[in-house]
Amino acid sequence: MITNFDYRWRGLYFLILAITVPFSGCGQSKRNTQISDDSLKNRVEKEWNSTIPGSFSPEMLTSFDSLEISRFIEKYPSFRPYKESILTFYRRRNFAFAWFDKEGLIEHAGNLADRVMNLKNEGLDKELPYYQSLDSLMYSENAGQHAGASKVKLELMLTAQYFAFADRVWGGMDESVSKAVNWYLPRKKVSYEAYLDSALSRSSDELRVDKAPVYRQYGLLKEYLIKYRKLQEKSDWYNIEPGSVSLKPGDTSQVISRVRQRLFDLGDYLGDTSRQVYDTELETAVKIFQVRHGLKDDGVLGKATFAELNVPYQSRLKQLLVNMERSRWFPISLSRDYLMVNIPEFELHVYSSDSLLWSCNVVVGKAIHKTAVFSSDLKHVVFSPYWNVPPSIVRKEILPDMRRDPNYLRKHNMEITGYRDGLPEIRQRPGPSNSLGLVKFLFPNSFNMYLHDTPAKSLFAEASRAFSHGCIRVSEPFKLAQFLLRDDPSWDNEKILAAMKAGRERFVPLKNKVPVFVAYFTAFVDGEGKINFRKDIYERDERLADMMMK
């Protein structure tokens, strides 16, 4: 078997041979240059031995002195926050090299360096510390200039850069930032040391599949970030002037060719961009665009659709950046049933092991009564519920109505159950006119918010559905109750319907609690791989964008 040592020895042998035995054409005496094989071998072995205290050492090829980490941190102090993570990672490996094998740097090293050098593709404008040092060390290694201590330096530089990258790109900004923008979902917790161990064990083919420890929307949004940057670079932005009349199929206008071009650039339309007639092909493209932007998909080029068509690429890029940041905070995945409400989308999504089962429309809080961004575990389904009116609503709405109409409570099937701090405690009895409808879904939280039915069904047909006092109204409450109770044989469809209409409140505990996430994403990629944008109804994007810039 020919070892790596044999190849290096032979290479060094022929290198010295080439230097010490010149060609006869040089005009020197053969006798003056001739040396014995034994003498040459001794010289080669001497040269070889002088290289051993470096990267060619069998020990150094597999491990290094743990004190090197402290020396490295002293030289590169910005990596100090990651010292414990670096130590933990290498202790598990008995301080063996991670980024080198017997052939040299592994493919993972180049991939990491490439991502560190291109943080703009990750939605970040600021560079990681010492990225130029990494670039220099990588260049020297590729040029074959590294040996001994410098290889240890590159090894530790790669690991330190990995933890800095993971912290900023996958972990996101400090938790104080998410709280400052009213994000009360618990931040994800990931062992980046364990993830690095796992990543380094993957094959080259597996490596090309992005399995980053971050919510899947992050990678999907990242692809559109690159696309919109290209659009911004190649396109001269222009506003499309809509005129005074909405455009419908069959209409002719010079504006239509400009709409075609915009939709072509965005990928919603693939046909001829010069035509000025509003045909069925364009109508299909307009409807696709309207769905992606949460508009009523009527195919009419009206004020709302033109407003979205005229949002500059720079604004869309900002939306992508802030929602990539939110994706860094969100839990990575769950291997169980869970619910997610996306407030700006006005949608409830029902998942099983991260597979979307179904979705339905919801109504969320008005801007003055914002629905909170938080998570909890759904534990009870309550059929034919009472509505215990919040004190704020009693004070601001019901008491003034009671002064105007002494019969207000009776007309609204309400009753006073007591008094607290001089304020009547009022509840609405179960029934079809109850503001919570026929069923509610409870998950304990400090915001006193929950999911519930509603008698005001017409609101679900609106494109923008921010009408509530903060709680979340569900358009398909029966289907949700079916889903939550589907593993309980004592609750079939007939019993669920009967309990909803019984007029008598009944609490049903779930056998298995179901996590509920109430989130806030104004940009996301749907199940068909299309980018969606929604209005920032609570005006939170701009503040987060400012904090990211600072």
Side-chain angles (χ1 to χ4, degrees), residues 307-325:
E308 295 298 330
L309 284 167
N310 283 327
V311 174
Y313 294 142
Q314 183 61 37
S315 298
R316 294 306 187 200
L317 283 168
K318 185 184 291 186
Q319 264 188 287
L320 290 166
L321 290 172
V322 297
N323 286 282
M324 286 175 70
E325 180 65 24

Side-chain angles (χ1 to χ4, degrees), residues 133-283:
S133 297
L134 172 63
D135 190 29
S136 177
L137 288 166
M138 290 291 290
Y139 176 82
S140 298
E141 173 61 26
N142 292 331
Q145 298 172 9
H146 276 314
S150 60
K151 257 186 178 169
V152 176
K153 185 189 291 184
L154 175 55
E155 168 74 19
L156 293 176
M157 178 61 74
L158 283 162
T159 303
Q161 291 286 358
Y162 161 78
F163 284 111
F165 180 93
D167 181 39
R168 187 62 193 89
V169 174
W170 296 332
M173 299 174 74
D174 187 84
E175 192 167 354
S176 62
V177 172
S178 53
K179 288 183 177 179
V181 293
N182 303 111
W183 181 281
Y184 298 109
L185 281 168
R187 297 284 289 261
K188 69 179 182 188
K189 298 186 184 301
V190 176
S191 170
Y192 292 121
E193 300 94 335
Y195 178 77
L196 180 55
D197 265 332
S198 170
L200 290 171
S201 67
R202 293 183 201 149
S203 67
S204 297
D205 290 338
E206 290 175 318
L207 194 64
R208 293 184 182 94
V209 179
D210 192 358
K211 295 181 179 178
V214 67
Y215 181 48
R216 62 183 177 274
Q217 279 289 326
Y218 172 82
L220 298 171
L221 291 172
K222 176 181 166 181
E223 293 178 11
Y224 279 98
L225 177 73
I226 296 170
K227 175 181 177 178
Y228 271 77
R229 278 185 172 148
K230 290 178 180 177
L231 279 174
Q232 187 184 35
E233 289 169 4
K234 76 174 186 177
S235 302
D236 292 327
W237 180 258
Y238 56 87
N239 266 355
I240 304 172
E241 298 300 331
S244 58
V245 181
S246 296
L247 297 172
K248 302 179 181 66
D251 290 343
T252 301
S253 171
Q254 292 181 348
V255 173
I256 290 174
S257 61
R258 307 197 88 191
V259 171
R260 288 181 189 272
Q261 184 62 54
R262 178 65 48 80
L263 293 176
F264 182 88
D265 292 340
L266 294 172
D268 296 316
Y269 175 70
L270 301 176
D272 180 4
T273 60
S274 63
R275 299 190 63 203
Q276 297 184 3
V277 177
Y278 193 161
D279 56 17
T280 54
E281 188 179 19
L282 179 60
E283 182 186 14

